[in-house]
Amino acid sequence: MKISDLCNLIEESFHSGKYPLSIDTEKTMSSLVKIVNKSSSDDFKEDNIIIETRINDFFVLNNYTPALSHLPGIIEMDCLESFKMLSRRIDRISSNKSDHLFIKK
């Protein structure tokens, strides 16, 4: 299996609703999530594996080494946790009615 194949599998799991999502923002954002391999290679033996979890302009990068056991499962868990964190932040921003809040692109 290639890293990009795993990223596509995780992304499709989000889009199809296979992960347990607790709040409405997560359910809404699950169709917008992108999981992208930012590594220089598509091989799990790469020295530095970089996975991006993105919702629109917000993203989280996670780095891995190939020495980790059960690496595909760890990547999947981290993508889910990163997605939930991004959803909470987006929910917090959208629910804040203050005029002093600005987000730079």
Side-chain angles (χ1 to χ4, degrees):
M1 177 181 267
K2 296 178 182 179
I3 296 172
S4 60
D5 293 338
L6 176 65
C7 291
N8 289 335
L9 182 70
I10 295 169
E11 187 175 319
E12 285 303 315
S13 294
F14 274 110
H15 295 171
S16 66
K18 291 186 180 179
Y19 293 122
L21 305 175
S22 57
I23 60 175
D24 290 335
T25 305
E26 290 176 359
K27 293 173 185 172
T28 304
M29 296 294 158
S30 66
S31 63
L32 302 174
V33 69
K34 301 280 186 210
I35 309 297
V36 181
N37 175 20
K38 293 291 187 171
S39 309
S40 59
S41 172
D42 212 15
D43 188 9
F44 277 106
K45 294 183 182 5
E46 176 75 20
D47 288 337
N48 189 22
I49 299 169
I50 304 167
I51 305 295
E52 176 185 85
T53 304
R54 175 179 287 274
I55 302 174
N56 296 332
D57 293 333
F58 299 94
F59 64 92
V60 174
L61 291 175
N62 290 304
N63 295 349
Y64 306 92
T65 61
L68 293 169
S69 58
H70 307 293
L71 184 57
I74 291 171
I75 291 173
E76 183 179 21
M77 287 186 328
D78 284 349
C79 288
L80 181 58
E81 289 303 313
S82 296
F83 167 76
K84 288 184 175 212
M85 178 186 66
L86 290 171
S87 293
R88 284 192 304 270
R89 289 185 179 177
I90 291 170
D91 187 41
R92 216 175 296 139
I93 289 169
S94 63
S95 66
N96 189 350
K97 304 291 184 202
S98 299
D99 292 335
H100 66 279
L101 181 66
F102 297 101
I103 300 172
K104 293 183 179 180
K105 290 188 178 186

